[in-house]
Amino acid sequence: MSSSNNSGKVLKLKSKDNQIFEVEESVAIQSELIKNVVEAGCDIGVIPLLTVHSKTLRNVIEWCQKHVDYVEENDSGSNEEEIKNWESEICEEGNNNGSDDEETKNWESEENNNGSDEEEAKNWESEGNNDGSNKEEVENWEWEENNDGSDEEELENWESKFVDVDKDSLYALLLAADYLSIDSLLERVIKQVADVIKQCRSVEEVRQTFGIKSDFTPEEEEEIREEISWID
Amino acid sequence: MEHLPVEVIGNILSRLGGARDVVIASATCRKWREACRKHLHTLEFNSGDWPFYRDITPRRLEILITQTIFQTTGLQGLSILMDDVDEFSASTVIAWLMYTRETLRRLSYNVRTSPNINILEICGRQKLEKLLLAHNSIAGVEPNFQRFPCLKSLSLSHVSISALDLSLLLTACPKLESLELVNPEIAMSDAQVTVELSSPTLKSIYVETISLDKFMLEADSIERLHLRDCALELFELIGKGTLKYFKIDDVSVIHLDIGETVDNLEIVDVSNFTIIWPKFYQMISRSSKLSKLRLWDVAFDDEDEVVDLETIAVCFPQLNHLSLSYELRDGVMHYGLQGSSNLENVKVLELGWTVINDHFSHWVEELLKRCPNLKKMIIFGVVSEAKSHEECQILANFTSSIVQLMRKYMYVEVEFEYE
């Protein structure tokens, strides 16, 4: 496909519906699961992925390829890269979540910068509103020059489009990302699902959106209703 | 959705952050409830998340927060940032902190507690990586007994602490990388207000709204220094020349010393400052790696002093981004534009005026000539509300001259920002 690291090895992955996919090793090992299999050294001909349907697997491979390409394109390392990594290292408040990297990134402001170069160049300041107002503080230590800022932006846009799919596909991606242990994909899909939940105004709306059936006993329902009475 | 492992659901709920959303989601079915009980690692009660927090009394809020926290297990991130609440009762806050003690990695808290408690003594220390504290006080720091072995990032805002305790606190954090001090209330034992801090691991420091006689920072790994709205007589940075980013904004400092070796400086951003050019120049002239220089709304101590482009071009060959905004007087035009060295690598140019005059267009023109590889130029202007006819005329003339000028530089993107 593209100019990936041609250390050459190509792996064969078999989907749940018995389709075989040939994938370059560097792309496939974005999945911790596959990486472990490869590192274990056994020379399996085909790696069976019992729970992933070909339709989903195809998308997953596309995700992995894109991320391998992105890393390569930005391998100029250098200052700009480092500078960009600052944004994830500062002390800020903000939304937190699981993994360490994600967490540090999300402490930072989530203001939707329109991301254009000049905006960012201006947003050099940290606002230091640490008395806790949710106004974002450090907007952008990130200081883009050349195209590095917009590369990352481009990736983000690509990722957002990628996860902008119907619910069933989203769940399939979620399950696959979890099973295959692909952090970047899992993170992004989780964020997408969380964003959908945030839009819901009530418990019923969440149930409807995600097709969840309540399995509480009437007593439990009552208890819960009491507990959440403070919300609207 | 049924096939999702409960841990993944826990991950999703944690990503929601805001308690209200988490509570709603956890009330949908058994599995989600379990996810909230056993696999939720982040919970936030931030006044910005939901406007109706304001309608709940502090006492009721305490109960809700307690109820919600106590249903979780293994919480790693807790954030309680309630801007509209005056105070929470100490016993309740203590309960929250004790409950999460073993597992807490990130804590943000900004509400006064009554009576006053020392949050540092009660919160979990072993695993804490990030701490943000506001509107509270810290006293009696004992670095031998209270260590924060994993703390990487510390932010103190409107916190009352003595200079000694602040210094001791840093020694209690052997892995600290980032420090933010905003409007601290520094209690001093003697007349001179001095803060001396030392941290071999500190990479980034941000200080806002502080007024001191002396501020000394010893930091061998420091990479980023940002001061804002500070009034200091002396600021001294002692390090190993690792500084990369230096930014000061609206700071008054009489003696500024950022060290001998500034070889690694990449970004220097000075705004709302009076520069003593020879000193400033001496400070940064050896920073040959400089890629961004911003001198915005600066005044020069000596009226004859000037930022001359020749010096900038020669000293900073890697300069990529140049931002200049200061008063242009006749002398400036003459000395500032002498020489013929080009700023070969400058791709972005930002030029600003506070009072527009004829010099400005001329200056823009000269700068364009000296930046052969320019890609973008942004003009910043301040336009007064009540514009006299003469001002309008000047602005119109300026606009015409820029239009004409840019015809020679078709490949440069131009933008205007007026305020």
Side-chain angles (χ1 to χ4, degrees), chain A residues 14-15 23 48 71 80 95 101 137 189 197 204 214-215 223:
Chain A
K14 184 163 86 171
S15 70
V23 184
V71 167
E80 286 82 21
N95 287 332
D101 282 10
E137 312 155 20
V189 180
I197 297 178
E204 207 35 61
S214 164
D215 50 354
E223 201 183 295

Side-chain angles (χ1 to χ4, degrees), chain B residues 285-297:
Chain B
S285 60
R286 276 173 316 218
S287 308
S288 53
K289 288 187 195 166
L290 202 67
S291 61
K292 176 174 176 176
L293 177 63
R294 181 171 181 263
L295 300 175
W296 208 262
D297 289 338

Side-chain angles (χ1 to χ4, degrees), chain A residues 82 102 118 124 130-131, chain B residues 15 110 180 244 247 376:
Chain A
E82 252 175 62
E102 176 75 357
E118 38 311 354
W124 174 244
N130 278 324
D131 56 4
Chain B
R15 204 58 168 76
N110 78 338
E180 262 188 3
K244 286 187 183 172
K247 177 165 168 145
K376 183 186 219 147

